Amino acid sequence: MEEFFLLSLVMGISIIGLITAYFLARWVLKKGVGDEAMQKISNAIKEGAEAFLRRQFKTIIILTIIFAVILFVGYGFIRVHRDFDPVGTSIGLAFWITFSFVLGAICSLVSGYIGMWISIRSNIRSAAGAVKGVNEALQIALRGGAVSGLMVVAMSLLGVSGLYALVQYVGGVEPTKIPFVIVGFAFGASFVALFAQLGGGIYTKAADVGADLVGKVEAGIPEDDPRNPAVIADLVGDNVGDCAGRGADLFESTAAENIGAMILGAAMALKVPGASPVWILGVMMFPLVARAFGIIASIIGILSVKVKNNEDPMKSLNRGYYFAVVLAMIGFGIATRWLLNSDTAPNAWLHFFACGIIGVVTSIFFVYITQYYTEYKYRPTLSIAKASQTGPATNIIAGLGVAFECATLPVIVISAAILGSYYLGKTSGLVDAGLFGTAVATMGMLATAAYILAMDTFGPIVDNAGGIVEMSQQPKEIREKIDRLDAMGNTTKALTKGYAIGSAALAAFLLFSAYLDEVKNYGLNLISVDIAKPEVFVGALLGAMLVFLFASFAIKAVGKAAYYVINDVRAQFKEKPGILAGTEKPDYGRTVDIVTKGALKEMIVPGLLPILFPIAVGVIFKLFGVGAETVAAFLMVGTIVGIILALFLNNGGGAWDNAKKYIELGNFGGKGSDAHKAAVVGDTVGDPCKDTAGPSLHVLIKLLATITLVLAPLFI
């Protein structure tokens, strides 16, 4: 009865989240769509984004089907059934693993598509809303973004809880074994997220780099100038990279961390002497209940956002965020007292509540650290802008210096969070509760994921709104209102990248620990990883190398795709000399089609690399008798290097971008100056770092964890 009630609660709140997303979408779609000129540009963005996503989804679906077949064959026919397997037969285990993989992939695709669908319809409404005022434009953009945020988190939670119920009531699997069966859901979500983020990132940056280099540098025309053939492709890129891509990224984050925390919760609860089955079940279901309360908190926070009089709009967003955080922590406290309270350790729930607080504080630290390294109010970005006065070379050197520096503070914060939550769990009075403490901290950090994703999607919506206003030549006062929100959008996108890598870093330890527990569940008591063994050391070395190779492929993919864009823009200027004079119109659709084909072609190889590499390492080193241990070293070191390199790429790229924006405000000579040209070069270098390779590494980190979780039994 207790299990039925908990599942009903989680699924009920998830459905409330989906219903709220529906009503927010209806509210946004009822708003005005501006004049004919605005609608024409908006329709071009809409058509380009939907065409790209249709082609991308076809590619992803084909790859998903191929891998689903490989999974089924591997579990059903290659691997020998063991007595301790969670399901009675090899075919039964293969079915549930494959089914959960496919379901995770489908849910990730659907949530990403719906998020982008509403964002490409919110942009014009936000632009039109600016006629009424900043508050109207902000609320439309944020609520449009909230549709994506709520869809992602609610569908992730509904998918995990619904799959749990299905395996329990149809498959008849013992409850504490269920997380090992449904781990394929997280892998399916990660599989889709990697290609969605990578393909969208290549597209958006190829279009951006092509538009900037030919438009700003060669032709000397402003950003979002309608004479630039690549400008629509650039605006499309904001949606497919920052909406669909990031939506899939956070979907797989929430799914992977929920299942990983359930595995650690079950492992801890089973070790408590005399623990009742009801209490064990409550511990295992805690991550889902805590996340459900976070959805309610995020909904209230989103609906509370309103710009008061002439205040800085960023203050209203921050106010809503902190309101959501406070409510989420109240819900978190209720969940810990209800489900983690134990007679054998009466104060344990307080320790775990403190772990949740550590997670929230960590997320806030990451937001402020990201602000410090990427906003032009502070030393790092200002130093790059200053260095631009002496040319592109010094801009690049200064940017690299900032990028290398910016890994320091986040690593210290993550280290403190892991140690703090581990020792709080360890001293809770429950047996071996340290690892579960780190899992609870991760739950705390992700408590307001729906609000964070709403802020992230807000960025591309107002960016598109700014482009629509600029290209349709709206009055100056409307441009000024949208420009305020566009500047905010750049900040929110940078902050959510900081949040995403922070949650990935904290979750990495959780998922690594879950891998060790799963290996133990399948009969290998792997207490530690012995790096002194040459095979294990080589596995660790290969994990580090994979991260750099993947980043290399991702960045080179942007360069190759941008090459197609640059050549097309140059060709159009040559074919139609009247474009720059304003007497002829560019062919936007041609450029969109070219960058679409280029991005999808270039995403395949880097996308398959992190999927096939861990499998090869596990299978090859299984022949040496250390397959599972070598994969553990591969996962551990690959994750550590991935976190640090992602910080380098994200914050370094963000600093280069905002150094250019600082100069464009009129500093160091302003637009068109030598310093500005140098800063554009730096921004062009930083673009594939911060919007393609960096965000894709967030997914890579968790994909390595989920693929090793799913395939662990094949390596033993």
Side-chain angles (χ1 to χ4, degrees), residues 665-695:
L665 291 174
N667 302 291
F668 302 128
K671 289 183 180 179
S673 65
D674 289 341
H676 181 238
K677 288 175 183 175
V680 169
V681 173
D683 177 38
T684 305
V685 172
D687 270 343
C689 294
K690 72 179 174 64
D691 288 324
T692 307

Side-chain angles (χ1 to χ4, degrees), residues 124 143 183 210 222 278 286 315 318 324 367 376 423 456 458 475 528 536 589 591 598 612 641 695 707:
I124 188 170
R143 292 182 180 188
V183 73
V278 171
F286 167 78
K315 283 186 180 177
N318 286 337
V367 164
Y376 51 66
Y423 282 104
D456 183 61
F458 167 89
S528 60
V536 179
T591 312
L612 300 178
V641 173
I707 193 170

Side-chain angles (χ1 to χ4, degrees), residues 5 28-29 46 131 149 165 218 272 332 334 388 592 594 641 673:
F5 175 73
V28 168
L29 293 173
K46 196 189 317 178
V131 175
E218 292 182 13
V272 176
F332 207 85
I334 293 168
S388 302
V592 167
I594 284 170
V641 173
S673 65

